[in-house]
Structure formats: structure tokens, C-alpha cells
Amino acid sequence: MIEIREAGKQYGGITALHGLNWSVQEGEWWGIIGPNGSGKSTLLQLISGVEKVSSGEVLIHGKPASAYNRKILSRMMAVLQQDGLPPVHYPVREVLEMGRYPYQDWLGRDEGGDPDALIENIMEKLQLHALADRPLDELSGGQRQRVALGKVMAQEPQILLLDEPTTYLDIRYQHQFMELVAQWRKEEGITVVAVLHDLNLAAQFCDKLLVLRDGQAVGMGTPEDMLTEETIRLVYGIEPVIVPHPVSGIPQVLVTRQR
């Protein structure tokens, strides 16, 4: 579904990503981890077609991402940033309806079926009915991020790209958000690629992890294979302790304080 071949990206004299080979199969959930400046967000921008590669290729269904018409690409792929939606004075229901833009003709008619039924279903799943008429700028950060997820759900994408979606959320809303994405994936079979800073969240929700450092892949594989003391020490320059989660057995990363 997504294939990266020797992909590189330069900004002036700075190399943000180079020589990356990686593929994502339909229905997988990949987490992209690594320190700040390692190329994570750059990679998402290349996949989404916002940026073009300086070298190599980024293919979506065998075709360069940059070759797709923006509206067609938006039917296949949705992007959710860390700040989700700005606190604008639009009611929640209207914000969700904005997700239908890729399916509207030049008269604003929806060509993708019954948008009202879809919006109602999304509001039910995300428990947004009580917020339907409230302006976005009156909501908490966690509520706004839930609305942002609803907007991309209305897009009905095959691929969901998440760029640090839980950064500004407390622990309750972090887990709520990730569980909602997991449920959507289970029901619709979407493919998810998520840039995440929280390694323990990544381990719990992602099938596989791509580890980046200085614009290069350090490794890729299951959380069990990637979240090792050796890899964390190499990539982040810290002394970690890796322990199994007491319920799932999935590796969890603890940090040792330097004394």
C-alpha cells in the first residue's frame, strides 16, 4: 500500500531524511519513533504528498504520492496533526461535515452516499452528540482532538497518518484517543501510520515500529524487537530499563535517573 524506496529529503543544505527503504501493508498499524529532528514528521509529509522527495520514491498503491490530485489523495488518506484542530468558533457538527469536502462536487453536493447518516454514526461512536452544537473554541483539548478524529473519520480514508496526536493530552485522553483509533481500525480495516513520542503507547497499540535517528532507519520490526535497551540507548542516549507490561507482557520503557 505504501512503499518507500531510497527516499531522501533535503532542505537547503540540511538532510532531513536519506536512503530510507520501508513498506506498509494494508491494515497494518506502524509507529514511527525517534528523537526530535530524526525525520519522523518529514516522512509523514512525504507520504501525504505535502512535500516531494529530493531523491528516491514514495509510492501509494504503486503510484508516486506527488502525482495524485489533491482531492483524490484526500479520499485515500487523512492526516491528523498533534494540535488537531484550531479553536475556531464553528459548531462541532459543522466541523465533522468539513471532512466530506473530498467527496463534494463544485456545487457542494456529496457524491459519496448519505453524509448525514455517516456523521450521525461518527457522533454516536465518539460520543459527540452532547457537543454537536457547541463551538470548537469552547471545548477542552481532549474534546477537540476527539472532534478532529471525527472529522478525519468523515473523510473515510484507507490510510490514516497521525503526527504526535496525543502530545497535548492528559493520560486519560491519550488512551481514549488511541482506543478510538484502534476500534476504527478493527471495524474498517484502515491502515495507520503514527508518529509517537510515547514509547509505551506505541508498544501497546502498534503492530510494528520504525525507528529513526538522524534521518536514517535504525531498525524496523515488532515492539518486542525494537524496544530493547541497546536500541533505546543508541537512539535516545539514555539508560533505559525494559520491563514487560504486567497484563499484556508488551515491553515498557522505564528511564533511570542519573545520580
Side-chain angles (χ1 to χ4, degrees):
M1 176 170 271
I2 302 172
E3 188 171 0
I4 313 294
R5 298 178 181 172
E6 291 293 326
K9 180 64 180 179
Q10 286 80 41
Y11 297 96
I14 299 174
T15 299
L17 204 68
H18 52 92
L20 180 63
N21 290 289
W22 177 50
S23 62
V24 178
Q25 303 305 313
E26 184 176 354
E28 290 183 328
W29 187 339
W30 277 85
I32 305 175
I33 63 173
N36 291 335
S38 59
K40 303 184 299 298
S41 294
T42 296
L43 177 55
L44 281 198
Q45 290 171 347
L46 296 180
I47 295 172
S48 68
V50 171
E51 295 281 355
K52 295 183 179 180
V53 291
S54 302
S55 59
E57 294 181 303
V58 174
L59 306 176
I60 311 295
H61 292 304
K63 182 178 177 180
S66 59
Y68 283 99
N69 172 283
R70 175 51 55 183
K71 206 165 187 179
I72 297 299
L73 191 61
S74 294
R75 293 187 179 190
M76 293 192 300
M77 184 184 304
V79 182
L80 181 53
Q81 306 286 346
Q82 58 183 266
D83 49 2
L85 295 166
V88 294
H89 198 68
Y90 286 102
V92 166
R93 185 184 295 274
E94 287 187 20
V95 173
L96 297 184
E97 292 170 350
M98 292 175 188
R100 297 303 299 167
Y101 170 74
Y103 299 92
Q104 293 174 351
D105 64 18
W106 64 282
L107 290 175
R109 296 174 300 198
D110 197 297
E111 303 171 321
D114 183 358
D116 292 335
L118 175 64
I119 297 300
E120 284 297 315
N121 186 42
I122 291 170
M123 293 181 69
E124 181 70 29
K125 286 181 179 179
L126 301 187
Q127 299 178 1
L128 292 174
H129 275 112
L131 305 176
D133 299 318
R134 287 185 60 186
L136 207 60
D137 57 4
E138 293 181 4
L139 305 185
S140 70
Q143 290 171 328
R144 283 206 307 272
Q145 198 70 332
R146 203 160 13 122
V147 176
L149 178 60
K151 181 174 177 286
V152 297
M153 289 177 73
Q155 238 176 285
E156 297 186 290
Q158 302 166 23
I159 302 169
L160 175 63
L161 305 182
L162 302 172
D163 193 359
E164 302 178 31
T166 62
T167 296
Y168 300 120
L169 304 182
D170 65 33
I171 190 169
R172 173 196 171 194
Y173 281 120
Q174 287 178 5
H175 278 266
Q176 180 190 67
F177 179 89
M178 297 294 279
E179 290 286 3
L180 288 169
V181 172
Q183 185 63 30
W184 182 18
R185 176 192 175 218
K186 180 180 179 181
E187 293 174 356
E188 302 295 337
I190 62 170
T191 303
V192 183
V193 177
V195 169
L196 295 166
H197 274 306
D198 189 319
L199 303 183
N200 294 329
L201 272 183
Q204 291 188 62
F205 287 93
C206 302
D207 303 321
K208 298 177 183 178
L209 301 176
L210 169 64
V211 186
L212 296 180
R213 179 173 179 260
D214 296 330
Q216 294 180 295
V218 172
M220 55 190 77
T222 65
E224 290 80 3
D225 291 336
M226 294 297 100
L227 295 182
T228 65
E229 292 183 4
E230 180 182 4
T231 299
I232 299 302
R233 189 180 299 116
L234 171 66
V235 172
Y236 292 96
I238 61 172
E239 287 299 325
V241 176
I242 310 298
V243 298
H245 191 285
V247 176
S248 66
I250 291 170
Q252 298 287 278
V253 180
L254 305 180
V255 179
T256 303
R257 181 180 175 186
Q258 300 298 310
R259 296 184 182 277

